[in-house]
Structure formats: C-alpha cells, structure tokens
C-alpha cells in the first residue's frame, strides 16, 4: 500500500468537511491518503437551494433574475457535502458504487449526537462508541469522488478536490441509544474489507447491515473528541450536530 499523507498525527475529533484518512483503490495498489469528508450533494437539492436564493434576491430587487444570472447562481451554489450515504439505490450514488470508487475509512471510535437528557438535565451530546475501552482500529465502508469541482464554501470559491463519505445502515441496540435511525457500516474482518474493495456491487452491498447487538460499547459521553483526556478540540462552525469520528 502506498502512503500519501506524510507523518499523520492522531486525529481525536473529525468533523464534516475536515480532512480524514481513507484507503482507496488505485491502479496496481491501494493508497492511504487524506480526503475531505462530504460527498457531492445531489444536483436536484443544489438546484432547489439556488432557486430559494433566487426568489429572495428577486423579492429584494423587485425583478426576476435573468436566465444567465440564475444559471450562475446554480453553478456557484455552495455544497457543504453529504456526510453519510444510506440510499444506495439512488441514481445520485450509483455512479460511485463500483470498486474503483470504494474506500475504507480507519477509525478507533465514532460518535453519534444524542438528544437524550442526562442526570444533570442537559443533553448527553456526543456519545462515543468503540469495540472496547482500548479502542482498537476498525474501518467504515466508504466511497469517494475523485477530483470533484464545486463550491464548498463561499469564501473558497470554486475548487477541485477529492471527497469521501461512508455508508450507514440501521443501528444495532448499542448505537440506537444515541441514534435510533442509523449507524455507520463497519467492516470487521480482512475478508469483509476485501469484498468491499473488490467485489461486484451485488455482493458488496450485502455488507450494508448493522453490526450484531452487543458488539460495540459506549466509551465516552459528552466530549467533543475521543479519548476525552486529549487536548480540547473546538469543531468548526457550521455543522456541530452531524455525526463525527
């Protein structure tokens, strides 16, 4: 495997749109590289967002936008990214489901944002999960979009960069405590990793399933990073309620 990340320091809190390590297929090898978290949003969703902006501008200016003005709004509509992939039957995702676009995402723990109220009357916040307290290395099943051109942030303008996200599925009984809707798709064995990275989609899609009940455990609650004794980490403004790892 080729490494393209230099001397990677530990990342104790990775939030949407940050760089994170993935392992992806490349011709003749597998490559470890840092990629921006958040796959492209559907063109329909971006069009609708641009239309809403156009309506506000038209109301403020007292005129309809020209076709050219609206086309530019659509082209420059900020796409903050889709951080998790659930509906793999969607035409939007099908283009990236082949082995050449699959990746695995290494992690030692991951968090779901819980709205449950704790004994102190406050929301529990980040609930961190791992296989045990030692937080052994594990992998999410992911996909990536190479060299995608879009506006991620208005301040950046149009950029071209690699993007990734990981699949989700129904939660097992442990994760459902914090998120009753979803959990990441986790690969547990070298055989599962090899299937995900190489097999036809008809076989690989069977891995989009929850882990058995009782496999994971909660290792930390209410901390912005994990392990919690690490240096405090302030997430970037914008999406504090998204899943993280």
């Amino acid at each position: 495997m080729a490494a393209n990340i230099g001397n990677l320091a530990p990342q104790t809190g990775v939030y949407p749109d940050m760089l994170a390590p993935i392992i992806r297929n490349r011709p003749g090898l597998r490559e470890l590289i840092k990629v921006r978290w958040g796959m492209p949003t559907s063109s329909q969703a971006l069009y609708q967002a641009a239309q809403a902006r156009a309506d506000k501008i038209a109301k403020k200016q007292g005129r309809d936008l020209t076709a050219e003005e609206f086309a530019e709004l659509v082209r420059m509509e900020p796409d903050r990214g889709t951080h998790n992939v659930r509906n793999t039957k969607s035409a939007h995702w099908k283009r990236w489901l082949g082995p050449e676009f699959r990746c695995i995402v290494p992690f030692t723990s991951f968090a779901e944002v819980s709205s449950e109220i704790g004994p102190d009357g406050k929301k529990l916040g980040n609930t961190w999960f791992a296989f045990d307290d030692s937080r052994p290395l594990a992998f999410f099943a992911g996909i990536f979009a190479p060299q995608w051109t879009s506006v991620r942030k208005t301040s950046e303008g149009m950029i071209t960069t690699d993007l990734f996200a990981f699949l989700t599925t129904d939660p097992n009984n442990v994760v459902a405590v914090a998120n009753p809707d979803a959990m990441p798709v986790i690969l547990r064995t070298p055989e599962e990793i090899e299937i995900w990275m190489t097999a036809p989609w008809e076989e690989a899609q069977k891995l989009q399933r929850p882990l058995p009940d009782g496999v994971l455990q909660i290792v930390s609650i209410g901390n912005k990073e994990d392990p919690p004794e690490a240096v405090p980490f302030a997430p970037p403004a914008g999406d504090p309620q998204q899943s993280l790892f």
Side-chain angles (χ1 to χ4, degrees):
M1 182 177 69
N4 192 21
I5 57 174
N7 187 16
L8 180 62
Q11 290 180 272
T12 53
V14 180
Y15 284 77
D17 210 37
M18 291 177 62
L19 293 175
I22 69 168
I23 298 169
R24 65 183 182 180
N25 289 318
R26 303 296 282 174
L29 55 82
R30 286 181 181 156
E31 180 184 43
L32 176 64
I33 190 171
K34 293 185 74 173
V35 177
R36 203 161 176 169
W37 181 12
M39 286 287 282
T41 301
S42 73
S43 57
Q44 180 181 8
L46 293 176
Y47 182 90
Q48 291 172 346
Q51 184 65 67
R53 279 205 302 143
D55 292 343
K56 291 180 180 179
I57 294 172
K59 184 176 181 180
K60 183 177 181 180
Q61 296 184 357
R63 67 173 183 87
D64 291 335
L65 273 66
T66 65
E68 291 77 13
E69 289 172 330
F70 180 69
E72 182 64 9
L73 269 186
V74 172
R75 189 179 76 88
M76 297 299 293
E77 181 62 33
D79 180 2
R80 299 171 69 186
T82 300
H83 310 117
N84 308 121
V85 179
R86 183 65 175 270
N87 181 15
T88 52
K89 294 182 180 179
S90 165
H92 177 65
W93 299 122
K94 284 184 177 180
R95 74 189 93 173
W96 293 302
L97 296 180
E100 66 271 29
F101 299 114
R102 293 188 212 145
C103 65
I104 54 175
V105 185
F107 74 96
T108 51
S109 62
F110 69 93
E112 299 288 351
V113 182
S114 175
S115 59
E116 282 198 14
I117 305 300
D120 58 359
K122 297 181 180 179
K123 292 182 179 180
L124 294 181
N126 293 344
T127 301
W128 291 89
F129 302 90
F131 283 103
D132 58 50
D133 286 331
S134 70
R135 296 162 173 79
L137 181 66
F139 299 91
F140 299 138
I143 58 175
F144 75 95
Q147 294 298 286
W148 186 262
T149 300
S150 65
V151 177
R152 300 289 288 189
K153 298 177 181 178
T154 303
S155 59
E156 286 182 325
M158 192 72 71
I159 63 168
T160 299
T161 189
D162 295 337
L163 305 171
F164 86 95
F166 47 81
L167 273 63
T168 63
T169 185
D170 295 329
N172 67 3
N173 67 335
V174 179
V175 177
V177 171
N179 185 349
D181 298 320
M183 69 173 292
V185 173
I186 297 173
L187 307 175
R188 300 180 64 192
T189 67
E191 291 76 18
E192 288 182 347
I193 290 173
E194 194 63 22
I195 289 171
W196 178 250
M197 296 293 277
T198 64
W201 178 243
E202 291 72 24
E203 182 179 0
Q205 67 179 332
K206 298 175 184 177
L207 295 170
Q208 192 178 12
R209 76 287 179 263
L211 290 182
D213 289 345
V215 170
L216 295 167
Q217 68 181 54
I218 296 173
V219 293
S220 176
I221 293 178
N223 300 293
K224 292 180 179 178
E225 62 176 356
D226 188 68
E229 60 269 17
V231 177
F233 172 79
D239 248 347
Q241 296 301 312
Q242 291 288 344
S243 298
L244 52 139
F245 64 100

